PDB file of all heavy atoms in Angstrom:
ATOM      1  N   LEU B  37      93.317 101.191 109.890  1.00  0.00           N
ATOM      2  CA  LEU B  37      92.059 101.907 109.680  1.00  0.00           C
ATOM      3  C   LEU B  37      91.401 101.490 108.362  1.00  0.00           C
ATOM      4  O   LEU B  37      90.186 101.269 108.300  1.00  0.00           O
ATOM      5  CB  LEU B  37      92.307 103.408 109.683  1.00  0.00           C
ATOM      6  CG  LEU B  37      92.609 104.046 111.049  1.00  0.00           C
ATOM      7  CD1 LEU B  37      93.008 105.506 110.884  1.00  0.00           C
ATOM      8  CD2 LEU B  37      91.397 103.929 111.974  1.00  0.00           C
ATOM      9  N   ILE B  38      92.205 101.376 107.310  1.00  0.00           N
ATOM     10  CA  ILE B  38      91.652 100.965 106.012  1.00  0.00           C
ATOM     11  C   ILE B  38      91.067  99.570 106.106  1.00  0.00           C
ATOM     12  O   ILE B  38      89.997  99.274 105.553  1.00  0.00           O
ATOM     13  CB  ILE B  38      92.736 101.040 104.914  1.00  0.00           C
ATOM     14  CG1 ILE B  38      93.116 102.502 104.657  1.00  0.00           C
ATOM     15  CG2 ILE B  38      92.257 100.373 103.629  1.00  0.00           C
ATOM     16  CD1 ILE B  38      94.205 102.680 103.621  1.00  0.00           C
ATOM     17  N   HIS B  39      91.743  98.682 106.847  1.00  0.00           N
ATOM     18  CA  HIS B  39      91.217  97.320 107.024  1.00  0.00           C
ATOM     19  C   HIS B  39      89.891  97.347 107.785  1.00  0.00           C
ATOM     20  O   HIS B  39      88.952  96.608 107.443  1.00  0.00           O
ATOM     21  CB  HIS B  39      92.242  96.463 107.774  1.00  0.00           C
ATOM     22  CG  HIS B  39      91.758  95.064 108.046  1.00  0.00           C
ATOM     23  ND1 HIS B  39      91.651  94.104 107.069  1.00  0.00           N
ATOM     24  CD2 HIS B  39      91.325  94.482 109.212  1.00  0.00           C
ATOM     25  CE1 HIS B  39      91.182  92.995 107.603  1.00  0.00           C
ATOM     26  NE2 HIS B  39      90.980  93.192 108.896  1.00  0.00           N
ATOM     27  N   ILE B  40      89.796  98.186 108.793  1.00  0.00           N
ATOM     28  CA  ILE B  40      88.549  98.299 109.572  1.00  0.00           C
ATOM     29  C   ILE B  40      87.426  98.820 108.682  1.00  0.00           C
ATOM     30  O   ILE B  40      86.325  98.259 108.634  1.00  0.00           O
ATOM     31  CB  ILE B  40      88.749  99.215 110.795  1.00  0.00           C
ATOM     32  CG1 ILE B  40      89.709  98.563 111.796  1.00  0.00           C
ATOM     33  CG2 ILE B  40      87.403  99.516 111.456  1.00  0.00           C
ATOM     34  CD1 ILE B  40      90.077  99.468 112.947  1.00  0.00           C
ATOM     35  N   PHE B  41      87.709  99.903 107.949  1.00  0.00           N
ATOM     36  CA  PHE B  41      86.670 100.520 107.121  1.00  0.00           C
ATOM     37  C   PHE B  41      86.268  99.636 105.941  1.00  0.00           C
ATOM     38  O   PHE B  41      85.143  99.752 105.433  1.00  0.00           O
ATOM     39  CB  PHE B  41      87.146 101.886 106.609  1.00  0.00           C
ATOM     40  CG  PHE B  41      87.323 102.908 107.695  1.00  0.00           C
ATOM     41  CD1 PHE B  41      88.175 103.993 107.528  1.00  0.00           C
ATOM     42  CD2 PHE B  41      86.650 102.790 108.902  1.00  0.00           C
ATOM     43  CE1 PHE B  41      88.351 104.943 108.531  1.00  0.00           C
ATOM     44  CE2 PHE B  41      86.812 103.720 109.913  1.00  0.00           C
ATOM     45  CZ  PHE B  41      87.662 104.803 109.728  1.00  0.00           C
ATOM     46  N   SER B  42      87.184  98.773 105.512  1.00  0.00           N
ATOM     47  CA  SER B  42      86.865  97.907 104.369  1.00  0.00           C
ATOM     48  C   SER B  42      85.779  96.888 104.716  1.00  0.00           C
ATOM     49  O   SER B  42      85.191  96.283 103.814  1.00  0.00           O
ATOM     50  CB  SER B  42      88.127  97.181 103.889  1.00  0.00           C
ATOM     51  OG  SER B  42      88.605  96.289 104.882  1.00  0.00           O
ATOM     52  N   ASN B  43      85.513  96.686 106.005  1.00  0.00           N
ATOM     53  CA  ASN B  43      84.451  95.771 106.426  1.00  0.00           C
ATOM     54  C   ASN B  43      83.096  96.463 106.556  1.00  0.00           C
ATOM     55  O   ASN B  43      82.104  95.814 106.907  1.00  0.00           O
ATOM     56  CB  ASN B  43      84.814  95.120 107.764  1.00  0.00           C
ATOM     57  CG  ASN B  43      85.991  94.157 107.638  1.00  0.00           C
ATOM     58  OD1 ASN B  43      85.877  93.109 107.031  1.00  0.00           O
ATOM     59  ND2 ASN B  43      87.134  94.525 108.199  1.00  0.00           N
ATOM     60  N   LEU B  44      83.062  97.773 106.292  1.00  0.00           N
ATOM     61  CA  LEU B  44      81.808  98.515 106.352  1.00  0.00           C
ATOM     62  C   LEU B  44      81.087  98.427 105.014  1.00  0.00           C
ATOM     63  O   LEU B  44      81.704  98.267 103.957  1.00  0.00           O
ATOM     64  CB  LEU B  44      82.081  99.989 106.685  1.00  0.00           C
ATOM     65  CG  LEU B  44      82.786 100.282 108.017  1.00  0.00           C
ATOM     66  CD1 LEU B  44      83.047 101.782 108.142  1.00  0.00           C
ATOM     67  CD2 LEU B  44      81.960  99.786 109.194  1.00  0.00           C
ATOM     68  N   ASP B  45      79.754  98.557 105.074  1.00  0.00           N
ATOM     69  CA  ASP B  45      79.023  98.627 103.812  1.00  0.00           C
ATOM     70  C   ASP B  45      79.139 100.042 103.246  1.00  0.00           C
ATOM     71  O   ASP B  45      79.643 100.965 103.904  1.00  0.00           O
ATOM     72  CB  ASP B  45      77.560  98.219 104.003  1.00  0.00           C
ATOM     73  CG  ASP B  45      76.819  99.097 105.020  1.00  0.00           C
ATOM     74  OD1 ASP B  45      77.166 100.288 105.165  1.00  0.00           O
ATOM     75  OD2 ASP B  45      75.892  98.576 105.673  1.00  0.00           O
ATOM     76  N   TRP B  46      78.658 100.219 102.035  1.00  0.00           N
ATOM     77  CA  TRP B  46      78.872 101.494 101.345  1.00  0.00           C
ATOM     78  C   TRP B  46      78.149 102.660 102.041  1.00  0.00           C
ATOM     79  O   TRP B  46      78.643 103.792 102.039  1.00  0.00           O
ATOM     80  CB  TRP B  46      78.426 101.379  99.890  1.00  0.00           C
ATOM     81  CG  TRP B  46      76.949 101.200  99.682  1.00  0.00           C
ATOM     82  CD1 TRP B  46      76.248 100.033  99.651  1.00  0.00           C
ATOM     83  CD2 TRP B  46      75.989 102.241  99.479  1.00  0.00           C
ATOM     84  NE1 TRP B  46      74.913 100.257  99.455  1.00  0.00           N
ATOM     85  CE2 TRP B  46      74.719 101.606  99.331  1.00  0.00           C
ATOM     86  CE3 TRP B  46      76.048 103.620  99.387  1.00  0.00           C
ATOM     87  CZ2 TRP B  46      73.555 102.320  99.105  1.00  0.00           C
ATOM     88  CZ3 TRP B  46      74.886 104.339  99.162  1.00  0.00           C
ATOM     89  CH2 TRP B  46      73.660 103.688  99.034  1.00  0.00           C
ATOM     90  N   LYS B  47      76.992 102.381 102.666  1.00  0.00           N
ATOM     91  CA  LYS B  47      76.279 103.449 103.368  1.00  0.00           C
ATOM     92  C   LYS B  47      77.085 103.947 104.570  1.00  0.00           C
ATOM     93  O   LYS B  47      77.138 105.146 104.849  1.00  0.00           O
ATOM     94  CB  LYS B  47      74.906 102.949 103.812  1.00  0.00           C
ATOM     95  CG  LYS B  47      73.956 102.619 102.670  1.00  0.00           C
ATOM     96  CD  LYS B  47      72.616 102.122 103.195  1.00  0.00           C
ATOM     97  CE  LYS B  47      71.681 101.764 102.063  1.00  0.00           C
ATOM     98  NZ  LYS B  47      70.372 101.254 102.563  1.00  0.00           N
ATOM     99  N   SER B  48      77.723 103.009 105.288  1.00  0.00           N
ATOM    100  CA  SER B  48      78.537 103.388 106.439  1.00  0.00           C
ATOM    101  C   SER B  48      79.773 104.172 106.011  1.00  0.00           C
ATOM    102  O   SER B  48      80.198 105.110 106.694  1.00  0.00           O
ATOM    103  CB  SER B  48      78.945 102.137 107.225  1.00  0.00           C
ATOM    104  OG  SER B  48      77.807 101.447 107.707  1.00  0.00           O
ATOM    105  N   ILE B  49      80.367 103.783 104.887  1.00  0.00           N
ATOM    106  CA  ILE B  49      81.535 104.521 104.382  1.00  0.00           C
ATOM    107  C   ILE B  49      81.151 105.959 104.063  1.00  0.00           C
ATOM    108  O   ILE B  49      81.903 106.900 104.357  1.00  0.00           O
ATOM    109  CB  ILE B  49      82.115 103.824 103.135  1.00  0.00           C
ATOM    110  CG1 ILE B  49      82.673 102.446 103.510  1.00  0.00           C
ATOM    111  CG2 ILE B  49      83.222 104.679 102.501  1.00  0.00           C
ATOM    112  CD1 ILE B  49      83.174 101.645 102.330  1.00  0.00           C
TER     113      ILE B  49
END
Side-chain angles (χ1 to χ4, degrees):
L37 287 173
I38 292 178
H39 178 73
I40 293 173
F41 294 156
S42 65
N43 292 291
L44 300 177
D45 59 30
W46 67 272
K47 294 180 181 179
S48 299
I49 295 176

